[in-house]
Every structure is written in structure tokens, then in C-alpha cells.
Amino acid sequence: MIRKTVGLASAAVLALGIGTAATAQAQQSTTAGQTATTAACALRLGSVTSTGAFTSRMVNATSPITIGGVRGTAGVFAPNQVQHISTFTGTPLLSTLEARSGLTVQAGALYTNSFVVDGESQVDPHYPKNNLRVGGGWGNYRWIEQSVLQPANAGDPARVLLYGQRTDGITQRWVSDGGSWRITSGVGGLSTVKGIALIGRTATSETFLANTRSGALVTVTWPTKYLAAPTSRVVRGSTWQGFEQLIATKCGTNGTLLLGIDRDTKSGYLYAVSHANGTGTVIRSLGKVPLTFSDPQYFRIAPKYDVLNGG
């Protein structure tokens, strides 16, 4: 079950105020060499279809942008049941198998999901397919996200965090604790956020890139310390209000490949983003993605060792 710390609601609902952040906007530069080379960068995009299938394809930051072949896995979820979905982790097994795991909200409840696919991207019946209910009370959440820190060095600490924003604007964070989730912090002031994507992860903090209804693009850095409050920094002051969802992955040593999804037009646009540095952040538009974004849910499929240095 999800366990909540007594008194958190009054002790840790902290004002962030990004909706009134300064609107200064730095000049966007397209000068070659000012962002990491993106030719080799790619985002592994997942989706859940209306029939409950799990799909995977690569969005390649080539010029022009190219899309890899779609790999569909039928029967992962019941039709039209997934309300929200986190980043999923894909871990290779043996020579052709891949284990996939993540979190979903279905029928107002939080679930942990895991399954294994074969070389044809179909569920392998030799491995368990889990759809385990964690707890109810999730029908009033706008989105969820899971962050998995799995260090390459086995001696370094691992970490699994869950983020979720309620419809009243309160954003909460939980840490995985012996099979349950323990809440560690909560914050107000994020109600103006439309899309949010994790771009940076360290031993002591995590950084998100978010766009607001007023059009601002900001970073939100949240220390992992218990009851710590996040801080925000303006990246751009306007023009980013059109995206309902942001999805990001690593690009280069410390940059980000950012996908913005416009649900109204079922279109997506790709950007190369330098290491976040307030209004000094360099953002280069790579163009419109040649894909119709008509599935109910989209998310990122991350590798086991998911290094994010963009924030």
C-alpha cells in the first residue's frame, strides 16, 4: 500500500510560484556547435493504444527526423483502461528477450506492471506478466512519473521515486521502501504546468523541464532529501503553451532530446536542448515529427542504466 507520513499535508505543501516567474527570454541560437551533435541521438517512444497494446519505436534526431519501425505487443493492458503511465524501463534478457516494467493508473488505482517480450515483441509466456494493484485514490491525479536510479557501479545506492500531481495542483513524491511507497515531499504552485519531463538526475536531486499554460518553459529541481522543496528557473518566458506533454531523453554528454506533443493537432516537435542554464539554455528546433500522435498514452522507454545529465 501507499503509506503517507502523518502531518505531511500541512508540513510540506510549499509554494513554488512558477506561474508568476519572470518572462525574460533568451535569444534562441541555431549556430552549429552550440548544442551537442544530435545526429546519433534518439528517443525510444512508447505508447498504449486504445486496444491496450504496448508499442515501441525510435524517434531519430536525423535531418530530416526519421521514425523507426513500430513494434507492437498486444494484450498488455485491457482496452481503454490506462489513464496515466510512467516512463517504462526496458532491460535486455538473454539474446532476444526484453523485460519491461513501469507504473500505470487504471480505473483510479495505481498498478505496477511488468512483462517480458520475445524477439518478435510478443509477451513471452515463460515469464510472469504482472499487473499488480498498489492502491486506490489515484483517480484525481493529472499525471504520474517514475524515476529509477540504477547505478552501473553495484556499490552505489539505487533509488526509485514516484511523482504524481493531483487535480488540485499539489505535486507529491514517494520513495520505494521495501515493496511499498513512502511519501517524502509535497509542493503546491505547480498547477499551471501542462507537461513535465525528467531531464537530470544526481545522487541528491532530480531536475524536470516543464511548460506552463502561460507559455513559460522552466526547470524544476527537486532535492531528494526528505521534505525538501523544489526550486524553479525560467528557461523561456513564452510560446511553449501549445504542448500537453513533454518527453525527454539524454542527448550527448549533458544535453537533452526533447519531444513536445500537441494533442489538439496530434502532432509532435523535436528539440535539441543544451545543459539547462536558465535563459542561457540553448534550444534548437529539429522540426515536426513525421508521426500522428493519436494513441491515448505516450511515454519514454528508458534503458536499465538511465543516465540523465541535462539538468
Side-chain angles (χ1 to χ4, degrees):
M1 295 179 63
I2 297 253
R3 294 191 283 115
K4 294 188 178 180
T5 303
V6 175
L8 176 69
S10 60
V13 178
L14 309 171
L16 185 60
I18 66 172
T20 58
T23 58
Q25 181 170 358
Q27 177 68 35
Q28 295 188 24
S29 173
T30 58
T31 303
Q34 286 191 276
T35 61
T37 300
T38 59
C41 295
L43 186 152
R44 189 178 179 192
L45 181 67
S47 77
V48 178
T49 71
S50 60
T51 63
F54 183 112
T55 79
S56 170
R57 73 193 87 198
M58 300 302 296
V59 179
N60 303 301
T62 50
S63 182
I65 299 166
T66 56
I67 304 294
V70 62
R71 304 292 297 268
T73 308
V76 175
F77 304 106
N80 297 311
Q81 286 300 300
V82 176
Q83 296 167 280
H84 305 296
I85 188 166
S86 74
T87 294
F88 261 61
T89 299
T91 304
L93 297 176
L94 303 176
S95 58
T96 61
L97 304 180
E98 182 181 62
R100 297 173 179 172
S101 61
L103 299 171
T104 58
V105 173
Q106 303 176 52
L110 181 70
Y111 286 80
T112 61
N113 305 99
S114 61
F115 59 100
V116 173
V117 295
D118 59 23
E120 300 300 319
S121 201
Q122 300 308 302
V123 174
D124 192 314
H126 300 96
Y127 294 84
K129 175 178 173 288
N130 296 316
N131 187 38
L132 304 177
R133 190 178 188 274
V134 177
W138 289 80
N140 64 337
Y141 278 77
R142 289 182 177 141
W143 53 263
I144 62 170
E145 181 58 297
Q146 180 177 231
S147 172
V148 180
L149 174 62
Q150 184 67 48
N153 183 352
D156 293 337
R159 181 180 73 225
V160 181
L161 297 175
L162 164 64
Y163 297 84
Q165 186 185 71
R166 302 194 315 233
T167 52
D168 63 3
I170 301 301
T171 303
Q172 296 173 300
R173 182 180 66 197
W174 297 261
V175 61
S176 181
D177 182 14
S180 62
W181 293 94
R182 175 172 55 86
I183 200 163
T184 67
S185 192
V187 61
L190 284 168
S191 59
T192 62
V193 166
K194 294 187 70 176
I196 191 165
L198 185 65
I199 63 168
R201 186 192 291 118
T202 71
T204 59
S205 69
E206 299 195 330
T207 298
F208 295 84
L209 194 62
N211 67 317
T212 71
R213 292 187 181 89
S214 65
L217 185 69
V218 301
T219 53
V220 179
T221 299
W222 203 330
T224 56
K225 185 179 178 181
Y226 180 68
L227 292 184
T231 58
S232 67
R233 194 176 182 187
V234 173
V235 175
R236 295 290 185 269
S238 61
T239 75
W240 285 83
Q241 66 272 15
F243 298 127
E244 282 71 42
Q245 185 175 7
L246 301 179
I247 301 176
T249 193
K250 176 185 176 183
C251 183
T253 303
N254 57 9
T256 296
L257 187 63
L258 177 67
L259 171 65
I261 298 176
D262 183 343
R263 286 289 188 175
D264 293 333
T265 61
K266 299 181 180 180
S267 57
Y269 295 84
L270 205 59
Y271 302 87
V273 183
S274 70
H275 187 79
N277 182 32
T279 56
T281 306
V282 178
I283 302 176
R284 181 159 62 94
S285 175
L286 303 178
K288 186 177 181 180
V289 177
L291 178 68
T292 300
F293 289 82
S294 56
D295 286 340
Q297 304 292 334
Y298 287 94
F299 55 95
R300 181 172 71 103
I301 303 174
K304 179 179 180 181
Y305 301 109
D306 185 28
V307 179
L308 297 173
N309 296 323

